Amino acid sequence: MRKIVRLLTSKALIVTVLILLQVIALCISIMYLASYYAYLRSFLFILSLIIGIQVINHRGNPSYKIAWIIVIMAFPLFGGIFYVLFGNKKMPKKQVVQNLASIKQMARYLKRENGYIEELKAKDLDAYKLAYYLEEHSGFPLYTYCDTTYLSSGEMYFECLLSELKKAKKYIFMEYFIIEEGIFFTSILEVLHEKVSQGVEVYFIYDDAGCVGKIPPHYDHKLQQMGIHCLAFNPIEPQLLIHMNHRDHRKITVIDGKVAFTGGVNLADEYINAKVVYGKWVDSGIMIQGEAVWAFALMFMQFYNFYSKDKIGNYDMYYHQNIQYDHTGYILPYTDSPLDEEIIGENVHISILNMAKQYVYIKTPYLICDHEVITALQLAAKMGIDVRIMLPHIPDKWFVHMVSRAYYTPLIEAGVKILEYEKGFIHSKEFISDDRVGVIGSTNMDYRSYYLHHECGVWLYDDAVILEMKRAYEKQCEECIEIDIHHFDHENIMTKMIQGILRLFAPIM
């Protein structure tokens, strides 16, 4: 009964119901007015026609455009208005300009002329081209002389993160999609509270939508009362606005400018298997020490200052001159934003597939991709590349898992190996290729990560951690079942129809 009451009084349900009521009220109003005013009806039909033509000619993703064209054609009376409210992904020009100015301010603190990019060019032209793209379009330079530690589980991530937080002397930056009171976050919060009492500056960002139902409302006020500078990103409100879809999915910790963390791990108990919700939870992350940590510090400060009224001061105050570690490879931190039209996360994934020579191993919780990614996966497999995708066998969202499985057959037919982790849920976001290239971060292989979320990650080249990622992958393969072409032969027609419909509208869900 308590669970039912909690569900019925949850912010997520209340906001969803209020938005649905607004949509219904809008539709009823339009239909009522159009029945009395013929010219209004004609205007709405013409508006839908014009917007449909605009959608077709837009440079955006074809799958996204097809889904919206169907909506507009099916509901010509208010389909155009729906697109204006929900489908037009362009942000207000003022916000885009302000974001660019904020990024330019941040760029002044980056030292890009370090010679590493030219050094990489002489070693590997394919790797150089991807690093060049990331430098130009994400804004962060290529680094070397860093130390990287692969954290192959949420438990390792938790232990290492807690240990490093306890060493903080000057500042802590933390940014996570999900936080939830429990063993994991309570342990972290106790350390943060202690550090604030010692004079350490603590800045924290969490996503309001990601935390709905997991923490009490206005939780940021509680953290602020503890002396923590806190931003609840993009608070959920019952508004018919596209920016409600834009979420902060990044996972970042920076401590004193000496160490940084990123990966797939959020601050909740299921990520360390202290609470079992979908079988065994598999996640991963990376700890970075050295000069690349400064990129993550700037990444955090730019984002915090852009969205918060409580500004972080002079960036130089947070710079730390790191020692140079042994030269074990190259590392390039990057971030992806829905405020521009550059789909960095997707382009990184496609580029790795295109430059692969022997294998590409992938971990992702979701597989809901556009034509470009599917084509790149298929082509790599058809060219003899060993392409493997590891996904959950126990889903966290049944309908998302159903859509993911709708992509299996064309990929398997092309030679891609689909592996489902039989013991539980895969939440890691990793690409590994040819023992020399790796990516780990927050980006899923789905439309939301590619087009709607703020994401981050690190691209690695010739770094020792890549082989550790590969060994962990191969070990987890032993706990997977491979899905073959006949796996879904006995699925009923209704399931296939639902999959088809969900896949069709996946880009706008």
Side-chain angles (χ1 to χ4, degrees):
M1 181 59 71
R2 288 181 180 177
K3 289 183 178 179
I4 294 172
V5 171
R6 196 182 306 124
L7 175 64
L8 293 175
T9 57
S10 68
K11 183 178 180 180
L13 182 62
I14 293 170
V15 169
T16 300
V17 169
L18 288 174
I19 289 176
L20 285 174
L21 288 174
Q22 290 180 63
V23 171
I24 292 169
L26 177 64
C27 293
I28 291 173
S29 300
I30 290 172
M31 292 174 68
Y32 177 79
L33 291 171
S35 66
Y36 279 92
Y37 301 101
Y39 67 87
L40 177 60
R41 189 181 187 89
S42 299
F43 169 77
L44 292 172
F45 274 108
I46 293 170
L47 176 64
S48 290
L49 177 62
I50 292 171
I51 288 177
I53 294 170
Q54 179 187 355
V55 172
I56 291 171
N57 288 283
H58 192 266
R59 292 187 299 172
N61 180 269
S63 301
Y64 186 80
K65 293 194 290 185
I66 289 170
W68 271 110
I69 288 296
I70 291 172
V71 171
I72 293 169
M73 289 177 63
F75 307 101
L77 195 60
F78 36 74
I81 292 178
F82 277 1
Y83 180 79
V84 171
L85 291 173
F86 302 113
N88 185 7
K89 295 187 291 182
K90 285 188 176 180
M91 296 298 294
K93 187 175 181 180
K94 181 180 179 181
Q95 189 173 14
V96 173
V97 170
Q98 289 173 341
N99 183 57
L100 288 173
S102 176
I103 291 171
K104 286 181 180 178
Q105 178 192 8
M106 176 194 70
R108 296 201 301 266
Y109 295 89
L110 285 166
K111 298 177 182 179
R112 296 186 59 182
E113 299 303 322
N114 51 30
Y116 301 149
I117 191 75
E118 293 302 320
E119 185 180 296
L120 180 60
K121 185 177 182 179
K123 291 185 176 182
D124 189 324
L125 190 57
D126 285 337
Y128 159 79
K129 288 188 289 187
L130 180 50
Y132 179 86
Y133 166 78
L134 285 172
E135 279 201 353
E136 291 297 313
H137 294 283
S138 182
F140 298 98
L142 185 69
Y143 294 97
T144 188
Y145 301 110
C146 295
D147 184 65
T148 54
T149 304
Y150 178 56
L151 307 171
S152 61
S153 68
E155 292 87 335
M156 286 182 64
Y157 188 98
F158 172 46
E159 182 181 343
C160 195
L161 177 63
L162 199 62
S163 173
E164 293 298 325
L165 286 170
K166 290 176 181 177
K167 300 175 187 176
K169 301 295 183 184
K170 295 181 179 180
Y171 71 87
I172 297 169
F173 298 153
M174 301 189 78
E175 179 179 352
Y176 288 86
F177 181 60
I178 293 173
I179 59 173
E180 183 175 18
E181 291 182 329
I183 296 170
F184 193 167
F185 186 63
T186 299
S187 301
I188 298 296
L189 196 55
E190 286 174 358
V191 175
L192 297 183
H193 193 197
E194 180 184 354
K195 289 300 171 181
V196 168
S197 68
Q198 295 172 1
V200 176
E201 288 186 75
V202 179
Y203 289 84
F204 201 100
I205 303 172
Y206 68 84
D207 186 88
D208 194 54
C211 296
V212 166
K214 299 182 180 297
I215 53 176
H218 309 297
Y219 198 73
D220 52 328
H221 295 171
K222 175 182 176 178
L223 297 186
Q224 288 163 2
Q225 289 169 0
M226 294 171 63
I228 297 170
H229 302 270
C230 186
L231 168 65
F233 177 77
N234 199 4
I236 289 292
E237 298 174 0
Q239 298 180 8
L240 299 178
L241 295 173
I242 186 63
H243 78 261
M244 282 292 120
N245 252 332
H246 294 159
R247 310 314 316 173
D248 179 14
H249 196 244
R250 308 194 311 182
K251 289 90 178 169
I252 297 171
T253 293
V254 181
I255 303 165
D256 291 344
K258 298 179 180 180
V259 59
F261 292 80
T262 192
V265 181
N266 284 300
L267 309 184
D269 282 356
E270 61 263 36
Y271 293 84
I272 58 171
N273 289 293
K275 179 174 71 175
V276 178
V277 286
Y278 308 109
K280 183 180 178 181
W281 192 286
V282 175
D283 220 321
S284 61
I286 188 170
M287 183 177 77
I288 301 159
Q289 294 172 285
E291 54 187 355
V293 174
W294 180 231
F296 281 100
L298 287 171
M299 198 183 295
F300 178 94
M301 289 189 286
Q302 183 273 328
F303 192 88
Y304 188 92
N305 280 355
F306 184 70
Y307 287 104
S308 176
K309 294 178 182 178
D310 170 33
K311 306 298 182 186
I312 297 176
N314 183 2
Y315 289 178
D316 282 330
M317 294 172 58
Y318 301 91
Y319 178 76
H320 175 77
Q321 182 67 50
N322 278 288
I323 63 171
Q324 289 194 340
Y325 292 84
D326 291 338
H327 184 240
T328 59
Y330 301 89
I331 178 170
L332 205 162
Y334 64 90
T335 184
D336 196 4
S337 167
L339 298 183
D340 56 37
E341 295 189 357
E342 198 65 38
I343 45 174
I344 292 173
E346 181 178 71
N347 287 339
V348 168
H349 290 169
I350 291 174
S351 296
I352 292 172
L353 287 162
N354 289 342
M355 61 193 276
K357 293 178 174 59
Q358 296 178 339
Y359 74 86
V360 179
Y361 295 165
I362 301 166
K363 290 182 191 176
T364 179
Y366 316 117
L367 183 65
I368 308 174
C369 306
D370 57 19
H371 178 72
E372 288 77 6
V373 175
I374 297 300
T375 300
L377 288 164
Q378 290 172 320
L379 183 58
K382 288 177 179 178
M383 294 174 69
I385 308 299
D386 180 8
V387 181
R388 304 182 191 182
I389 308 174
M390 189 180 294
L391 294 127
H393 186 66
I394 301 174
D396 64 336
K397 304 175 185 71
W398 69 266
F399 60 93
V400 176
H401 191 60
M402 185 176 284
V403 181
S404 293
R405 284 187 159 191
Y407 289 84
Y408 285 9
T409 299
L411 291 173
I412 293 169
E413 288 175 342
V416 177
K417 295 182 179 69
I418 302 293
L419 308 167
E420 286 190 353
Y421 182 72
E422 196 169 16
K423 292 186 176 182
F425 189 74
I426 292 282
H427 191 257
S428 305
K429 303 95 167 49
E430 297 180 11
F431 266 62
I432 319 157
S433 179
D434 298 344
D435 294 354
R436 63 194 179 103
V437 173
V439 164
I440 186 168
S442 66
T443 306
N444 297 318
M445 293 182 72
D446 63 14
Y447 287 97
R448 299 199 65 83
S449 274
Y450 287 155
Y451 293 96
L452 294 173
H453 288 168
H454 293 274
E455 303 283 2
C456 69
V458 288
W459 177 78
L460 304 155
Y461 179 83
D462 200 24
D463 190 284
V465 83
I466 295 167
L467 291 178
E468 294 180 43
M469 293 168 68
K470 182 186 179 183
R471 284 193 289 270
Y473 192 99
E474 291 175 336
K475 185 176 181 180
Q476 285 160 354
C477 281
E478 298 171 4
E479 301 175 314
C480 293
I481 53 172
E482 183 172 350
I483 308 299
D484 61 31
I485 199 66
H486 303 294
H487 191 86
F488 303 112
D489 284 352
H490 302 294
E491 271 191 344
N492 61 61
I493 189 68
M494 185 58 69
T495 300
K496 292 181 179 179
M497 285 180 63
I498 293 172
Q499 281 183 324
I501 293 169
L502 289 174
R503 179 174 174 177
L504 182 62
F505 290 103
I508 61 175
M509 290 172 64

